[in-house]
Amino acid sequence: MDNVSIITVFTLSGLSDIANYRVILFVLTLLCYCVIWLVNVTIIVTVIVDKKLHEPMYIFLCSLCFNGLYGTAAFYPKFLYDLLSTTHVISYAGCFLQGFVLHSSVAADFSLLALMAYDRYVAICRPLVYHSIMTKQRVCILIFFAWIIAFYFLLMSTITTAILRLCGSHIPKIYCINWLIANLACSASVAKIVIPAFSYTFCFGNVCFVFWSYVHLIKTCQSSKENMGKFMQTCVPHLFSLTVVVVSLLFDMLYMRFGSKQIAQSVQNFMAMEFLLIPPIMNPLMYGFKLTKIRKRVLNFICGKSSAFRFKS
């Protein structure tokens, strides 16, 4: 129990065997992080600048892209620093902050995807009252509560974990999460069982709501070619985004709890960072290519810049 008072840093063991690939991994990771910023900022700026895109669907998409930047900011800068460092440690406060941001980003992802499903449900199943229901004021309120609820659940989880008495400082991962910190507790705690159950229920509830809305969407679209066209253009990217997020998280969560420790460390690291790599890149790309208005605005901007450059040359 004496060890409890002297824990000021946590050791991250996920990068213990990367000495020979340090520079290559740093370059690839930096490239991925730059791509994440590029594609997400492109969508965010396009939606903000073009007033024609100030519609609920695009505002929700803008929030989803912003959330991608928020979540990855808690991981990539620290990970890049660790790749060039010989010691892989994180401060006590930094570990809890990283865990809070990563967890809240995931919870906000599910909340925003549920709101996007609701928006598509109203737009296709109740088109006559869409504009009276999805007003800009109501959209802002929905986004606000989506973030607040996510923050509340994870703040409660983080506080509950932070008050635990810890008997270790070794985290077998490349970043901090509350569940692994709770595993270091000197005795069994509510933080390890009850609090995660609330978070999982919250995310599972959002996924169930999305599938419920899609059941109604598919039934409605079957009777109309116009509605089916709307479904293919706006709902397929959303369903793809939800699938990517769920699958990415399930890989990591199931392995973390039930996976074999005999798997190569590089494979473990990839599964650990999959939800911080694939969704932040694929979401804006999928929506950017599939949604006609956004694709046209981005192409017009690029072509306009290229034409101006050629003219000046």
Side-chain angles (χ1 to χ4, degrees), residues 145 160 169 175 197 293:
F145 276 102
T160 307
S169 61
Y175 53 77
K293 286 186 178 181

Side-chain angles (χ1 to χ4, degrees), residues 170-204:
H170 178 82
I171 295 179
K173 212 173 183 68
I174 54 178
Y175 53 77
C176 291
I177 57 174
N178 291 343
W179 190 79
L180 291 178
I181 299 174
N183 280 347
L184 301 175
C186 300
S187 58
S189 66
V190 68
K192 188 177 177 181
I193 302 173
V194 178
I195 299 299
F198 277 106
S199 301
Y200 298 151
T201 302
F202 172 74
C203 295
F204 181 72

Side-chain angles (χ1 to χ4, degrees), residues 51-310:
K51 293 183 178 180
K52 293 181 180 179
L53 297 178
H54 292 181
E55 300 175 10
M57 179 174 63
Y58 302 108
I59 295 173
F60 289 138
L61 174 58
C62 185
S63 300
L64 188 67
C65 291
F66 178 80
N67 186 58
L69 296 179
Y70 163 73
T72 54
F75 169 72
Y76 281 96
K78 178 65 171 69
F79 184 65
L80 288 168
Y81 174 81
D82 285 342
L83 287 174
L84 298 181
S85 176
T86 55
T87 57
H88 308 130
V89 297
I90 185 171
S91 68
Y92 187 87
C95 188
F96 281 98
L97 178 61
Q98 185 180 57
F100 171 77
V101 174
L102 291 177
H103 284 79
S104 59
S105 174
V106 170
D109 249 350
F110 281 103
S111 295
L112 292 169
L113 288 170
L115 288 180
M116 295 172 79
Y118 176 70
D119 173 71
R120 292 300 85 203
Y121 165 77
V122 177
I124 295 177
C125 297
R126 304 180 64 189
L128 298 179
V129 295
Y130 176 76
H131 292 290
S132 61
I133 294 178
M134 300 303 291
T135 62
K136 289 185 179 180
Q137 182 180 9
R138 186 165 294 173
V139 167
C140 292
I141 292 174
L142 289 173
I143 292 175
F144 173 77
F145 276 102
W147 282 89
I148 286 297
I149 293 173
F151 278 10
Y152 172 76
F153 272 108
L154 275 306
L155 183 61
M156 186 170 60
S157 174
T158 301
I159 292 174
T160 307
T161 307
I163 62 178
L164 295 176
R165 302 175 66 182
L166 305 181
C167 289
S169 61
H170 178 82
I171 295 179
K173 212 173 183 68
I174 54 178
Y175 53 77
C176 291
I177 57 174
N178 291 343
W179 190 79
L180 291 178
I181 299 174
N183 280 347
L184 301 175
C186 300
S187 58
S189 66
V190 68
K192 188 177 177 181
I193 302 173
V194 178
I195 299 299
F198 277 106
S199 301
Y200 298 151
T201 302
F202 172 74
C203 295
F204 181 72
N206 282 320
V207 173
C208 289
F209 173 79
V210 172
F211 281 109
W212 172 85
S213 65
Y214 269 90
V215 170
H216 288 273
L217 281 169
I218 292 173
K219 287 181 179 178
T220 302
C221 292
Q222 285 178 340
S223 60
S224 170
K225 290 185 178 180
E226 181 182 355
N227 285 336
M228 184 58 70
K230 290 181 180 179
F231 180 86
M232 294 303 295
Q233 184 180 28
T234 61
C235 297
V236 170
H238 175 264
L239 194 58
F240 178 81
S241 296
L242 179 68
T243 303
V244 168
V245 171
V246 171
V247 171
S248 298
L249 283 171
L250 280 178
F251 264 110
D252 184 44
M253 288 170 52
L254 292 176
Y255 173 77
M256 186 169 57
R257 287 160 174 74
F258 310 110
S260 171
K261 302 304 178 183
Q262 304 302 319
I263 297 178
Q265 186 64 55
S266 58
V267 178
Q268 295 182 39
N269 290 343
F270 176 77
M271 288 191 291
M273 65 184 297
E274 189 178 6
F275 79 96
L276 292 163
L277 175 64
I278 298 178
I281 292 178
M282 292 305 299
N283 286 346
L285 285 179
M286 185 67 181
Y287 279 100
F289 281 118
K290 192 66 177 174
L291 298 182
T292 306
K293 286 186 178 181
I294 289 184
R295 185 173 67 249
K296 286 183 177 179
R297 298 300 185 276
V298 173
L299 290 177
N300 287 341
F301 176 78
I302 294 174
C303 293
K305 287 291 185 181
S306 300
S307 300
F309 179 79
R310 288 196 299 269

Side-chain angles (χ1 to χ4, degrees), residues 24-35 76 80 83:
I24 296 175
L25 287 175
F26 178 86
V27 172
L28 291 176
T29 303
L30 181 60
L31 178 62
C32 288
Y33 193 39
C34 289
V35 171
Y76 281 96
L80 288 168
L83 287 174

